[in-house]
Amino acid sequence: MADAGASLRRALERITVVEGDITTLDVEAIVNAANERLAPGGGVCGAIHRAAGPELARSCAAIGHCATGDAVVTPGFGLKARWVIHAVGPIWHGGSAGEDELLASAYRRSLELAARTGIKSIAFPAISTGIYGFPADRAAAIAVRTVAEALRDLEIPERVVLCCFNATSAALHRHAIDQLRAKETS
């Protein structure tokens, strides 16, 4: 068990939290908090589509659909990032409709796609915490735990950035990292 704890601590070292605009980060891929239709939307999805240009919407339309809890990859087009991974998180329905598992799956599938694509650095927004209404503290804990557990088994991505849109979200993600680190050392 000490081995598992050590590998989780090493995985946590590959995760950083920043507050800012995900479209400007110096990473190979950014994750879009997408809807199932992969259509341009509001919030981070709208910002990514605006920054990438109309080619992104055309590429998403050609794919057509992505199930909740899953992810697909497209080029980044006009973005600094070479790739966009479109992850569909769940709409919050009170917590009894499998939302935790679906959110974890969206993060896990994104990392699996990144590894398969050879992506060494990736940035995630706080998936499902905007108009989908997922409680931000609960989502941060799920994001951190899922990313750390996935990184234990993946050599790449080497660097994962959790890009938060405000200081409150960033603090929640940092707290989730601290909590997981403390749990592993106790």
Side-chain angles (χ1 to χ4, degrees), residues 101-176:
E101 295 80 10
L102 289 166
L103 183 61
S105 178
Y107 279 94
R108 194 170 33 259
R109 290 290 298 131
S110 295
L111 289 167
E112 290 166 0
L113 271 175
R116 194 174 321 134
T117 307
I119 294 166
K120 293 185 174 143
S121 58
I122 186 172
F124 284 91
I127 298 171
S128 286
T129 62
I131 62 168
Y132 280 14
F134 208 105
D137 56 340
R138 187 171 178 150
I142 292 167
V144 167
R145 184 181 66 249
T146 304
V147 169
E149 288 174 355
L151 289 178
R152 271 195 312 212
D153 302 324
L154 298 170
E155 289 185 31
I156 58 173
E158 297 167 355
R159 180 170 67 105
V160 175
V161 178
L162 301 176
C163 185
C164 302
F165 58 91
N166 63 34
T168 301
S169 179
L172 290 170
H173 283 80
R174 287 185 185 107
H175 178 71

Coordinates of all heavy atoms in Angstrom, one line a residue, residues 101-176:
E101 N -20.0 9.7 -10.8 CA -19.3 8.7 -11.7 C -19.2 9.3 -13.1 O -18.2 9.1 -13.8 CB -20.1 7.4 -11.8 CG -20.2 6.7 -10.4 CD -21.2 7.2 -9.4 OE1 -22.0 8.1 -9.8 OE2 -21.1 6.8 -8.3
L102 N -20.2 10.0 -13.6 CA -20.1 10.6 -15.0 C -19.1 11.7 -15.0 O -18.3 11.8 -16.0 CB -21.5 11.1 -15.4 CG -22.5 10.0 -15.7 CD1 -23.9 10.6 -15.8 CD2 -22.1 9.3 -17.0
L103 N -19.0 12.5 -14.0 CA -17.9 13.5 -14.0 C -16.5 12.9 -14.0 O -15.7 13.3 -14.7 CB -18.1 14.5 -12.8 CG -17.2 15.6 -12.7 CD1 -17.3 16.5 -14.0 CD2 -17.4 16.5 -11.5
A104 N -16.4 11.9 -13.1 CA -15.1 11.2 -13.0 C -14.7 10.6 -14.4 O -13.6 10.7 -14.9 CB -15.1 10.2 -11.9
S105 N -15.7 10.0 -15.0 CA -15.5 9.4 -16.3 C -15.1 10.4 -17.4 O -14.2 10.1 -18.2 CB -16.8 8.7 -16.8 OG -16.6 8.1 -18.1
A106 N -15.6 11.6 -17.3 CA -15.3 12.7 -18.3 C -13.8 13.0 -18.1 O -13.1 13.2 -19.1 CB -16.2 13.9 -18.1
Y107 N -13.3 13.2 -16.9 CA -11.9 13.5 -16.7 C -11.0 12.3 -17.1 O -10.0 12.5 -17.8 CB -11.7 13.8 -15.2 CG -12.0 15.2 -14.8 CD1 -13.3 15.5 -14.3 CD2 -11.1 16.2 -15.0 CE1 -13.6 16.8 -14.0 CE2 -11.4 17.5 -14.6 CZ -12.7 17.8 -14.1 OH -13.0 19.1 -13.8
R108 N -11.4 11.1 -16.7 CA -10.6 9.9 -17.0 C -10.5 9.7 -18.5 O -9.4 9.4 -19.1 CB -11.2 8.7 -16.3 CG -10.3 7.5 -16.3 CD -10.9 6.3 -15.4 NE -12.4 6.2 -15.3 CZ -13.1 6.7 -14.3 NH1 -12.6 7.3 -13.3 NH2 -14.4 6.6 -14.4
R109 N -11.6 9.8 -19.2 CA -11.6 9.6 -20.7 C -10.8 10.7 -21.4 O -10.1 10.4 -22.4 CB -13.1 9.6 -21.2 CG -13.9 8.4 -20.9 CD -13.4 7.1 -21.6 NE -13.6 7.3 -23.0 CZ -12.7 7.1 -23.9 NH1 -11.5 6.6 -23.6 NH2 -12.9 7.3 -25.2
S110 N -10.8 11.9 -20.9 CA -10.0 12.9 -21.4 C -8.5 12.6 -21.3 O -7.7 12.8 -22.3 CB -10.2 14.3 -20.7 OG -11.6 14.7 -21.0
L111 N -8.1 12.1 -20.2 CA -6.7 11.7 -20.0 C -6.3 10.5 -20.8 O -5.2 10.5 -21.3 CB -6.4 11.5 -18.5 CG -6.4 12.8 -17.6 CD1 -6.5 12.4 -16.2 CD2 -5.3 13.7 -17.9
E112 N -7.2 9.6 -21.0 CA -6.9 8.4 -21.8 C -6.7 8.9 -23.3 O -5.8 8.4 -23.9 CB -8.0 7.4 -21.7 CG -8.1 6.7 -20.4 CD -9.4 5.9 -20.1 OE1 -10.3 5.9 -21.0 OE2 -9.5 5.3 -19.0
L113 N -7.6 9.8 -23.7 CA -7.4 10.3 -25.1 C -6.1 11.1 -25.2 O -5.4 11.0 -26.3 CB -8.6 11.2 -25.4 CG -9.8 10.6 -26.0 CD1 -10.9 11.7 -26.2 CD2 -9.5 10.0 -27.4
A114 N -5.8 11.9 -24.2 CA -4.5 12.6 -24.3 C -3.3 11.7 -24.4 O -2.4 11.9 -25.2 CB -4.4 13.5 -23.0
A115 N -3.3 10.6 -23.6 CA -2.2 9.7 -23.6 C -2.2 9.0 -25.0 O -1.1 8.8 -25.6 CB -2.4 8.6 -22.5
R116 N -3.3 8.6 -25.5 CA -3.4 7.9 -26.8 C -2.9 8.8 -27.9 O -2.3 8.4 -28.9 CB -4.8 7.4 -27.1 CG -4.8 6.4 -28.2 CD -6.2 5.8 -28.4 NE -6.9 5.5 -27.2 CZ -8.2 5.8 -26.9 NH1 -8.9 6.4 -27.8 NH2 -8.7 5.5 -25.8
T117 N -3.1 10.1 -27.8 CA -2.8 11.1 -28.8 C -1.3 11.6 -28.7 O -0.8 12.2 -29.5 CB -3.8 12.3 -28.8 OG1 -5.1 11.8 -28.8 CG2 -3.6 13.2 -29.9
G118 N -0.7 11.2 -27.5 CA 0.7 11.6 -27.3 C 0.8 13.0 -26.7 O 1.9 13.6 -26.8
I119 N -0.2 13.5 -26.1 CA -0.3 14.8 -25.5 C 0.5 14.8 -24.2 O 0.1 14.1 -23.3 CB -1.7 15.3 -25.3 CG1 -2.4 15.5 -26.7 CG2 -1.8 16.6 -24.5 CD1 -3.9 15.6 -26.7
K120 N 1.5 15.7 -24.0 CA 2.3 15.7 -22.8 C 1.8 16.7 -21.8 O 2.1 16.6 -20.6 CB 3.7 16.0 -23.2 CG 4.3 14.9 -24.0 CD 5.8 15.1 -24.2 CE 6.4 13.9 -24.9 NZ 7.4 14.1 -25.8
S121 N 1.0 17.7 -22.2 CA 0.5 18.7 -21.3 C -0.9 19.1 -21.7 O -1.3 19.2 -22.8 CB 1.4 20.0 -21.3 OG 1.4 20.6 -22.6
I122 N -1.8 19.2 -20.6 CA -3.2 19.3 -20.8 C -3.8 20.2 -19.7 O -3.3 20.2 -18.6 CB -3.9 18.0 -20.9 CG1 -5.4 18.1 -21.2 CG2 -3.7 17.2 -19.6 CD1 -6.1 16.8 -21.5
A123 N -4.8 21.0 -20.1 CA -5.4 21.9 -19.1 C -6.9 21.6 -19.1 O -7.5 21.5 -20.2 CB -5.2 23.4 -19.4
F124 N -7.5 21.5 -17.9 CA -8.9 21.2 -17.7 C -9.6 22.4 -17.1 O -9.0 23.0 -16.2 CB -9.1 20.1 -16.7 CG -8.8 18.7 -17.2 CD1 -7.6 18.1 -17.1 CD2 -9.9 18.0 -17.7 CE1 -7.4 16.8 -17.5 CE2 -9.7 16.6 -18.1 CZ -8.4 16.1 -18.0
P125 N -10.8 22.7 -17.5 CA -11.6 23.7 -16.8 C -12.3 22.9 -15.6 O -12.1 21.7 -15.6 CB -12.6 24.2 -17.8 CG -12.9 22.9 -18.6 CD -11.5 22.2 -18.7
A126 N -13.1 23.6 -14.8 CA -13.9 22.9 -13.8 C -15.2 22.4 -14.5 O -16.2 23.1 -14.5 CB -14.2 23.9 -12.7
I127 N -15.1 21.2 -15.0 CA -16.2 20.7 -15.8 C -17.4 20.5 -15.0 O -17.4 20.1 -13.9 CB -15.8 19.3 -16.4 CG1 -14.5 19.4 -17.3 CG2 -16.9 18.6 -17.1 CD1 -13.9 18.0 -17.7
S128 N -18.5 20.9 -15.6 CA -19.9 20.8 -15.1 C -20.3 21.8 -14.0 O -21.4 21.8 -13.5 CB -20.2 19.4 -14.6 OG -20.4 18.6 -15.7
T129 N -19.3 22.7 -13.6 CA -19.6 23.6 -12.5 C -20.3 24.9 -12.9 O -20.6 25.7 -12.0 CB -18.3 23.9 -11.7 OG1 -17.4 24.6 -12.5 CG2 -17.7 22.6 -11.1
G130 N -20.4 25.2 -14.2 CA -21.1 26.4 -14.6 C -22.6 26.2 -14.7 O -23.2 25.8 -13.8
I131 N -23.1 26.3 -15.9 CA -24.5 26.2 -16.1 C -25.1 24.8 -15.8 O -26.3 24.6 -15.6 CB -25.0 26.7 -17.5 CG1 -24.4 25.8 -18.6 CG2 -24.7 28.1 -17.7 CD1 -25.0 26.0 -20.0
Y132 N -24.2 23.8 -15.8 CA -24.7 22.4 -15.5 C -24.9 22.3 -14.0 O -25.5 21.3 -13.5 CB -23.7 21.4 -16.0 CG -23.8 21.1 -17.5 CD1 -24.6 21.9 -18.3 CD2 -23.2 20.0 -18.0 CE1 -24.7 21.6 -19.7 CE2 -23.3 19.7 -19.4 CZ -24.1 20.5 -20.2 OH -24.2 20.2 -21.5
G133 N -24.4 23.2 -13.1 CA -24.8 23.3 -11.7 C -24.2 22.3 -10.8 O -24.7 22.2 -9.7
F134 N -23.1 21.6 -11.2 CA -22.5 20.7 -10.3 C -21.9 21.4 -9.1 O -21.2 22.4 -9.4 CB -21.4 19.9 -11.0 CG -21.1 18.5 -10.5 CD1 -21.6 17.4 -11.2 CD2 -20.4 18.3 -9.3 CE1 -21.3 16.1 -10.7 CE2 -20.1 17.1 -8.8 CZ -20.6 15.9 -9.5
P135 N -22.1 21.0 -7.9 CA -21.5 21.8 -6.7 C -20.0 21.9 -6.9 O -19.3 20.8 -7.0 CB -21.9 21.0 -5.5 CG -23.1 20.2 -5.9 CD -22.9 19.9 -7.4
A136 N -19.4 23.1 -6.8 CA -18.0 23.3 -7.1 C -17.1 22.6 -6.2 O -16.0 22.0 -6.7 CB -17.7 24.8 -7.1
D137 N -17.4 22.5 -4.9 CA -16.5 21.8 -4.0 C -16.4 20.3 -4.3 O -15.4 19.6 -4.3 CB -16.8 22.0 -2.5 CG -18.3 21.7 -2.2 OD1 -19.1 21.6 -3.1 OD2 -18.6 21.5 -1.0
R138 N -17.6 19.7 -4.5 CA -17.7 18.3 -4.8 C -17.0 18.0 -6.2 O -16.3 17.0 -6.3 CB -19.2 17.9 -4.9 CG -19.5 16.5 -5.1 CD -21.0 16.3 -4.9 NE -21.4 14.9 -5.0 CZ -22.5 14.4 -4.4 NH1 -23.2 15.2 -3.6 NH2 -22.8 13.2 -4.6
A139 N -17.2 18.8 -7.2 CA -16.6 18.7 -8.5 C -15.0 18.8 -8.4 O -14.3 18.0 -9.0 CB -17.1 19.7 -9.5
A140 N -14.5 19.7 -7.6 CA -13.1 19.8 -7.4 C -12.5 18.6 -6.8 O -11.4 18.1 -7.3 CB -12.8 21.0 -6.5
A141 N -13.1 18.0 -5.8 CA -12.6 16.8 -5.2 C -12.6 15.6 -6.2 O -11.6 14.8 -6.2 CB -13.4 16.4 -3.9
I142 N -13.7 15.5 -6.9 CA -13.7 14.4 -7.9 C -12.7 14.6 -9.0 O -12.0 13.7 -9.4 CB -15.1 14.4 -8.6 CG1 -16.2 13.9 -7.5 CG2 -15.2 13.5 -9.8 CD1 -17.6 14.1 -7.9
A143 N -12.5 15.9 -9.5 CA -11.5 16.2 -10.5 C -10.1 15.8 -10.0 O -9.4 15.1 -10.7 CB -11.6 17.6 -10.9
V144 N -9.7 16.3 -8.9 CA -8.4 16.0 -8.4 C -8.1 14.5 -8.1 O -7.1 14.0 -8.6 CB -8.1 16.8 -7.1 CG1 -6.9 16.3 -6.3 CG2 -8.0 18.3 -7.4
R145 N -9.1 13.9 -7.5 CA -8.9 12.4 -7.2 C -8.8 11.6 -8.5 O -7.9 10.8 -8.7 CB -10.0 11.9 -6.4 CG -9.9 10.4 -6.0 CD -11.0 9.9 -5.1 NE -12.3 9.9 -5.9 CZ -13.3 10.7 -5.7 NH1 -13.3 11.5 -4.7 NH2 -14.4 10.6 -6.5
T146 N -9.7 11.9 -9.5 CA -9.7 11.2 -10.7 C -8.5 11.4 -11.5 O -7.9 10.4 -12.1 CB -11.0 11.5 -11.5 OG1 -12.1 11.3 -10.8 CG2 -11.0 10.7 -12.8
V147 N -8.0 12.7 -11.6 CA -6.8 13.0 -12.4 C -5.6 12.3 -11.7 O -4.8 11.6 -12.4 CB -6.6 14.5 -12.5 CG1 -5.2 14.8 -13.1 CG2 -7.7 15.1 -13.4
A148 N -5.5 12.4 -10.4 CA -4.3 11.8 -9.7 C -4.3 10.3 -9.9 O -3.3 9.7 -10.2 CB -4.3 12.2 -8.3
E149 N -5.5 9.6 -9.8 CA -5.5 8.2 -9.9 C -5.2 7.8 -11.3 O -4.5 6.8 -11.6 CB -6.9 7.7 -9.5 CG -7.1 7.7 -8.0 CD -8.5 7.4 -7.5 OE1 -9.4 7.2 -8.4 OE2 -8.7 7.3 -6.3
A150 N -5.7 8.5 -12.3 CA -5.4 8.2 -13.7 C -3.9 8.4 -14.0 O -3.3 7.6 -14.7 CB -6.3 9.0 -14.7
L151 N -3.3 9.4 -13.5 CA -1.9 9.7 -13.8 C -1.0 8.6 -13.2 O 0.1 8.4 -13.7 CB -1.5 11.1 -13.2 CG -2.1 12.3 -14.0 CD1 -1.6 13.6 -13.4 CD2 -1.7 12.2 -15.5
R152 N -1.5 7.9 -12.1 CA -0.7 6.8 -11.6 C -0.4 5.8 -12.6 O 0.7 5.2 -12.6 CB -1.4 6.2 -10.4 CG -1.2 6.7 -9.1 CD -1.7 5.8 -8.0 NE -3.0 5.3 -8.3 CZ -3.9 5.0 -7.3 NH1 -3.6 5.1 -6.1 NH2 -5.1 4.5 -7.6
D153 N -1.3 5.6 -13.5 CA -1.2 4.5 -14.5 C -0.7 5.0 -15.9 O -0.6 4.2 -16.8 CB -2.5 3.8 -14.7 CG -3.0 3.2 -13.4 OD1 -2.2 2.8 -12.6 OD2 -4.2 3.3 -13.1
L154 N -0.6 6.4 -16.1 CA -0.2 6.9 -17.4 C 1.1 7.7 -17.3 O 1.4 8.4 -16.4 CB -1.3 7.9 -17.8 CG -2.7 7.4 -18.0 CD1 -3.7 8.6 -18.3 CD2 -2.7 6.5 -19.2
E155 N 2.0 7.4 -18.3 CA 3.2 8.2 -18.3 C 3.0 9.6 -18.9 O 3.7 10.5 -18.5 CB 4.2 7.4 -19.2 CG 4.8 6.2 -18.6 CD 5.8 5.5 -19.4 OE1 6.6 6.2 -20.1 OE2 5.9 4.3 -19.4
I156 N 2.1 9.7 -19.8 CA 1.7 11.0 -20.3 C 0.2 11.2 -20.1 O -0.5 10.2 -20.2 CB 2.2 11.3 -21.7 CG1 1.6 10.3 -22.7 CG2 3.7 11.4 -21.8 CD1 1.9 10.6 -24.1
P157 N -0.3 12.3 -19.9 CA 0.4 13.6 -19.9 C 1.3 13.7 -18.7 O 1.1 13.2 -17.6 CB -0.8 14.7 -19.7 CG -2.0 13.9 -20.0 CD -1.8 12.5 -19.8
E158 N 2.4 14.5 -18.9 CA 3.4 14.7 -17.9 C 3.0 15.9 -17.0 O 3.4 15.9 -15.8 CB 4.8 15.1 -18.5 CG 5.3 14.0 -19.4 CD 6.5 14.4 -20.2 OE1 6.8 15.6 -20.3 OE2 7.1 13.5 -20.9
R159 N 2.1 16.8 -17.6 CA 1.7 17.9 -16.8 C 0.2 18.2 -17.0 O -0.3 18.2 -18.2 CB 2.5 19.2 -17.3 CG 2.1 20.5 -16.6 CD 3.1 21.6 -16.9 NE 3.0 22.0 -18.3 CZ 2.4 23.1 -18.7 NH1 1.9 23.9 -17.8 NH2 2.4 23.4 -19.9
V160 N -0.5 18.3 -15.9 CA -2.0 18.6 -16.0 C -2.2 19.9 -15.2 O -1.8 20.0 -14.1 CB -2.8 17.5 -15.3 CG1 -4.3 17.8 -15.3 CG2 -2.6 16.2 -16.1
V161 N -2.9 20.8 -15.9 CA -3.2 22.1 -15.3 C -4.7 22.1 -15.1 O -5.5 21.8 -16.0 CB -2.8 23.3 -16.2 CG1 -3.2 24.6 -15.6 CG2 -1.3 23.2 -16.5
L162 N -5.1 22.4 -13.8 CA -6.5 22.6 -13.5 C -6.7 24.1 -13.6 O -6.3 24.8 -12.7 CB -6.9 22.0 -12.2 CG -6.6 20.5 -12.1 CD1 -6.9 20.0 -10.6 CD2 -7.4 19.7 -13.1
C163 N -7.3 24.6 -14.7 CA -7.5 26.0 -14.9 C -8.9 26.5 -14.4 O -9.9 26.1 -15.0 CB -7.3 26.3 -16.4 SG -7.4 28.1 -16.8
C164 N -8.8 27.3 -13.4 CA -10.1 27.8 -12.7 C -10.4 29.2 -13.2 O -9.5 30.0 -13.4 CB -9.9 27.7 -11.2 SG -9.5 26.0 -10.7
F165 N -11.7 29.4 -13.3 CA -12.2 30.7 -13.8 C -12.2 31.8 -12.7 O -12.4 33.0 -13.0 CB -13.5 30.6 -14.5 CG -14.6 30.0 -13.7 CD1 -15.4 30.9 -12.9 CD2 -14.8 28.7 -13.6 CE1 -16.4 30.3 -12.1 CE2 -15.8 28.1 -12.8 CZ -16.6 29.0 -12.0
N166 N -12.1 31.4 -11.5 CA -12.0 32.4 -10.4 C -11.3 31.9 -9.2 O -10.9 30.7 -9.1 CB -13.5 32.9 -10.0 CG -14.3 31.8 -9.4 OD1 -13.8 30.9 -8.7 ND2 -15.6 31.8 -9.7
A167 N -11.0 32.8 -8.3 CA -10.2 32.5 -7.1 C -10.9 31.4 -6.2 O -10.2 30.6 -5.6 CB -9.9 33.7 -6.3
T168 N -12.2 31.5 -6.1 CA -12.9 30.5 -5.3 C -12.7 29.1 -5.8 O -12.4 28.1 -5.1 CB -14.4 30.8 -5.2 OG1 -14.5 32.1 -4.7 CG2 -15.1 29.8 -4.4
S169 N -12.9 28.9 -7.2 CA -12.7 27.6 -7.8 C -11.2 27.1 -7.6 O -11.0 26.0 -7.3 CB -13.0 27.7 -9.3 OG -12.8 26.4 -9.9
A170 N -10.3 28.0 -7.8 CA -8.8 27.7 -7.6 C -8.6 27.2 -6.2 O -7.9 26.2 -6.0 CB -7.9 28.8 -8.0
A171 N -9.1 27.9 -5.2 CA -9.0 27.5 -3.8 C -9.6 26.2 -3.5 O -9.0 25.4 -2.8 CB -9.6 28.6 -2.9
L172 N -10.7 25.9 -4.1 CA -11.3 24.6 -3.9 C -10.5 23.4 -4.5 O -10.3 22.4 -3.9 CB -12.7 24.5 -4.6 CG -13.8 25.4 -3.9 CD1 -15.1 25.4 -4.7 CD2 -14.1 24.8 -2.5
H173 N -9.9 23.7 -5.7 CA -9.0 22.7 -6.3 C -7.7 22.5 -5.5 O -7.3 21.3 -5.3 CB -8.7 23.0 -7.7 CG -9.9 22.7 -8.6 ND1 -11.0 23.6 -8.8 CD2 -10.1 21.7 -9.4 CE1 -11.8 23.0 -9.6 NE2 -11.3 21.9 -10.0
R174 N -7.1 23.6 -5.0 CA -5.9 23.4 -4.2 C -6.2 22.7 -2.9 O -5.4 21.9 -2.4 CB -5.4 24.8 -3.9 CG -4.7 25.5 -5.1 CD -4.0 26.8 -4.8 NE -3.5 27.4 -6.0 CZ -4.1 28.5 -6.6 NH1 -5.1 29.1 -6.1 NH2 -3.6 28.9 -7.7
H175 N -7.4 23.0 -2.3 CA -7.8 22.3 -1.1 C -8.0 20.8 -1.3 O -7.6 20.0 -0.5 CB -9.1 23.0 -0.5 CG -9.6 22.3 0.7 ND1 -9.0 22.4 1.9 CD2 -10.7 21.5 0.9 CE1 -9.7 21.7 2.8 NE2 -10.7 21.1 2.2
A176 N -8.6 20.5 -2.4 CA -8.8 19.1 -2.8 C -7.4 18.4 -2.9 O -7.3 17.2 -2.5 CB -9.6 18.9 -4.1

